[in-house]
Coordinates of all heavy atoms in Angstrom, one line a residue:
L1 N -34.6 -139.5 122.3 CA -34.8 -140.5 123.2 C -33.5 -140.7 124.1 O -33.6 -141.2 125.2 CB -35.1 -141.8 122.5 CG -36.4 -141.9 121.8 CD1 -36.6 -143.3 121.3 CD2 -37.5 -141.3 122.6
K2 N -32.4 -140.5 123.6 CA -31.1 -140.6 124.3 C -31.1 -139.7 125.5 O -30.4 -140.1 126.5 CB -30.0 -140.0 123.5 CG -29.8 -140.8 122.1 CD -28.6 -140.1 121.2 CE -28.5 -140.7 119.9 NZ -27.5 -140.0 119.1
G3 N -31.9 -138.6 125.5 CA -31.8 -137.7 126.7 C -33.0 -137.9 127.6 O -33.2 -137.1 128.6
L4 N -33.8 -138.8 127.4 CA -35.0 -139.0 128.3 C -34.6 -139.7 129.5 O -33.8 -140.6 129.6 CB -36.1 -139.7 127.6 CG -36.7 -139.0 126.4 CD1 -37.9 -139.8 125.8 CD2 -37.0 -137.5 126.7
K5 N -35.3 -139.4 130.7 CA -35.2 -140.1 131.8 C -35.9 -141.3 131.9 O -37.0 -141.5 131.2 CB -35.5 -139.2 133.1 CG -34.6 -137.9 133.1 CD -35.2 -136.9 134.1 CE -35.0 -137.2 135.5 NZ -35.4 -136.2 136.4
P6 N -35.6 -142.4 132.8 CA -36.5 -143.6 132.9 C -38.0 -143.3 133.3 O -38.2 -142.3 133.9 CB -35.8 -144.4 134.0 CG -34.3 -143.9 134.0 CD -34.4 -142.4 133.7
W7 N -38.8 -144.0 132.6 CA -40.2 -143.7 132.8 C -40.7 -142.5 132.2 O -41.8 -142.1 132.5 CB -40.6 -143.8 134.2 CG -40.3 -145.1 134.8 CD1 -39.2 -145.6 135.5 CD2 -41.2 -146.3 134.9 NE1 -39.2 -146.9 136.0 CE2 -40.5 -147.3 135.6 CE3 -42.5 -146.5 134.6 CZ2 -40.9 -148.6 136.0 CZ3 -42.9 -147.8 134.9 CH2 -42.2 -148.8 135.4
A8 N -40.0 -141.9 131.2 CA -40.4 -140.7 130.5 C -41.6 -141.0 129.6 O -41.7 -142.1 129.1 CB -39.2 -140.2 129.8
K9 N -42.3 -140.0 129.3 CA -43.4 -140.0 128.5 C -43.2 -139.3 127.2 O -42.6 -138.1 127.2 CB -44.8 -139.4 129.1 CG -45.2 -140.2 130.4 CD -46.4 -139.5 130.9 CE -46.9 -140.2 132.1 NZ -48.1 -139.6 132.8
I10 N -43.5 -139.9 126.0 CA -43.2 -139.3 124.7 C -44.6 -139.0 124.2 O -45.4 -139.9 123.9 CB -42.4 -140.3 123.8 CG1 -41.1 -140.6 124.4 CG2 -42.2 -139.6 122.5 CD1 -40.6 -142.1 124.1
I11 N -44.8 -137.8 124.0 CA -46.3 -137.4 123.3 C -46.1 -137.0 122.0 O -45.5 -136.0 121.6 CB -46.8 -136.1 124.3 CG1 -46.5 -136.3 125.8 CG2 -48.3 -135.9 123.9 CD1 -47.2 -137.4 126.3
L12 N -46.8 -137.8 121.2 CA -46.9 -137.6 119.6 C -48.2 -136.7 119.5 O -49.2 -137.1 119.9 CB -46.9 -138.8 119.0 CG -45.8 -139.8 119.2 CD1 -46.0 -141.1 118.3 CD2 -44.5 -139.3 119.0
M13 N -48.1 -135.7 118.6 CA -49.2 -134.9 118.2 C -49.1 -134.4 116.8 O -48.0 -134.5 116.2 CB -49.3 -133.7 119.2 CG -48.1 -132.7 119.1 SD -48.0 -131.5 120.4 CE -47.1 -132.6 121.5
G14 N -50.2 -134.1 116.3 CA -50.2 -133.5 114.8 C -49.9 -134.6 113.8 O -50.0 -135.8 114.1
I15 N -49.6 -134.2 112.6 CA -49.4 -135.1 111.6 C -48.1 -134.8 110.8 O -47.8 -133.7 110.6 CB -50.5 -135.0 110.5 CG1 -52.0 -135.2 111.3 CG2 -50.4 -135.8 109.3 CD1 -53.2 -134.9 110.4
S16 N -47.3 -135.8 110.7 CA -46.1 -135.6 109.9 C -46.1 -136.1 108.5 O -46.8 -137.0 108.2 CB -44.9 -136.3 110.7 OG -43.7 -136.2 110.0
A17 N -45.2 -135.6 107.7 CA -45.2 -136.0 106.2 C -44.7 -137.5 106.3 O -45.0 -138.3 105.3 CB -44.3 -135.1 105.5
D18 N -43.7 -137.9 107.1 CA -43.3 -139.3 107.2 C -44.1 -140.0 108.3 O -43.7 -139.8 109.5 CB -41.7 -139.3 107.4 CG -41.3 -138.6 108.7 OD1 -42.1 -137.5 109.1 OD2 -40.2 -139.0 109.2
D19 N -45.0 -140.7 107.9 CA -46.0 -141.3 108.9 C -45.3 -142.4 109.8 O -45.8 -142.6 111.0 CB -47.2 -141.8 108.1 CG -48.3 -142.2 109.0 OD1 -48.8 -141.4 109.9 OD2 -48.8 -143.4 109.0
M20 N -44.4 -143.1 109.3 CA -43.9 -144.3 110.0 C -42.9 -143.6 111.2 O -42.0 -142.9 110.9 CB -43.1 -145.2 109.2 CG -44.1 -145.9 108.2 SD -45.5 -146.7 109.0 CE -44.7 -148.1 109.9
F21 N -43.1 -144.2 112.4 CA -42.2 -143.8 113.5 C -41.6 -145.0 114.1 O -42.3 -145.9 114.8 CB -43.1 -143.1 114.6 CG -42.3 -142.3 115.6 CD1 -42.9 -141.3 116.2 CD2 -40.9 -142.4 115.8 CE1 -42.2 -140.4 117.2 CE2 -40.3 -141.6 116.7 CZ -40.9 -140.7 117.4
S22 N -40.4 -145.3 113.8 CA -39.7 -146.5 114.4 C -38.9 -146.3 115.5 O -37.9 -145.5 115.6 CB -38.8 -147.0 113.2 OG -39.5 -147.3 112.0
F23 N -39.3 -146.9 116.7 CA -38.6 -146.6 117.9 C -37.5 -147.7 118.2 O -37.8 -149.0 117.8 CB -39.7 -146.7 119.1 CG -40.5 -145.6 119.2 CD1 -41.8 -145.5 118.7 CD2 -40.1 -144.4 119.8 CE1 -42.6 -144.5 118.8 CE2 -40.9 -143.3 120.0 CZ -42.1 -143.3 119.5
P24 N -36.5 -147.4 118.8 CA -35.4 -148.4 119.1 C -36.1 -149.3 120.3 O -36.3 -148.7 121.5 CB -34.2 -147.6 119.6 CG -34.7 -146.3 120.0 CD -35.9 -146.0 119.1
A25 N -36.3 -150.6 120.1 CA -37.0 -151.5 121.1 C -36.3 -151.5 122.4 O -36.8 -151.5 123.4 CB -37.3 -152.8 120.4
L26 N -34.9 -151.6 122.4 CA -34.2 -151.8 123.5 C -34.3 -150.7 124.5 O -34.5 -150.8 125.7 CB -32.7 -152.1 123.3 CG -31.7 -152.4 124.5 CD1 -32.3 -153.5 125.3 CD2 -30.3 -152.7 124.1
S27 N -34.1 -149.5 123.9 CA -34.3 -148.3 124.7 C -35.7 -148.1 125.3 O -35.9 -147.6 126.3 CB -33.9 -147.1 123.8 OG -34.0 -145.8 124.5
L28 N -36.6 -148.3 124.4 CA -38.0 -148.2 124.8 C -38.4 -149.0 126.0 O -39.1 -148.7 127.0 CB -38.9 -148.5 123.6 CG -40.4 -148.2 123.8 CD1 -40.6 -146.8 124.0 CD2 -41.2 -148.8 122.6
T29 N -38.1 -150.4 125.9 CA -38.3 -151.4 126.9 C -37.4 -151.2 128.2 O -37.9 -151.2 129.3 CB -38.4 -152.7 126.4 OG1 -37.0 -153.0 126.0 CG2 -39.3 -153.0 125.4
G30 N -36.2 -151.0 127.9 CA -35.2 -150.9 129.0 C -35.5 -149.7 130.0 O -35.2 -149.9 131.1
H31 N -35.9 -148.6 129.3 CA -36.2 -147.5 130.2 C -37.6 -147.3 130.4 O -38.0 -146.3 131.1 CB -35.6 -146.2 129.5 CG -34.1 -146.2 129.3 ND1 -33.2 -146.3 130.5 CD2 -33.4 -146.2 128.2 CE1 -32.1 -146.3 129.9 NE2 -32.1 -146.3 128.6

C-alpha cells in the first residue's frame, strides 16, 4: 500500500491461509 497512487484499486482474489486482512485506516481513507 505504501507504493499505491491516490485512488488506487486493490483487487483481492483467491483464498489465503490467513483469512483476516487488516488495512491501515489512515492510509486507506487518506488516499
Side-chain angles (χ1 to χ4, degrees):
L1 298 185
K2 302 174 187 175
L4 297 186
K5 299 169 74 171
W7 299 88
K9 296 178 180 179
I10 303 147
I11 315 295
L12 309 182
M13 66 196 82
I15 301 171
S16 174
D18 55 332
D19 189 52
M20 298 303 296
F21 198 162
S22 300
F23 287 97
L26 180 60
S27 178
L28 185 67
T29 56
H31 297 299

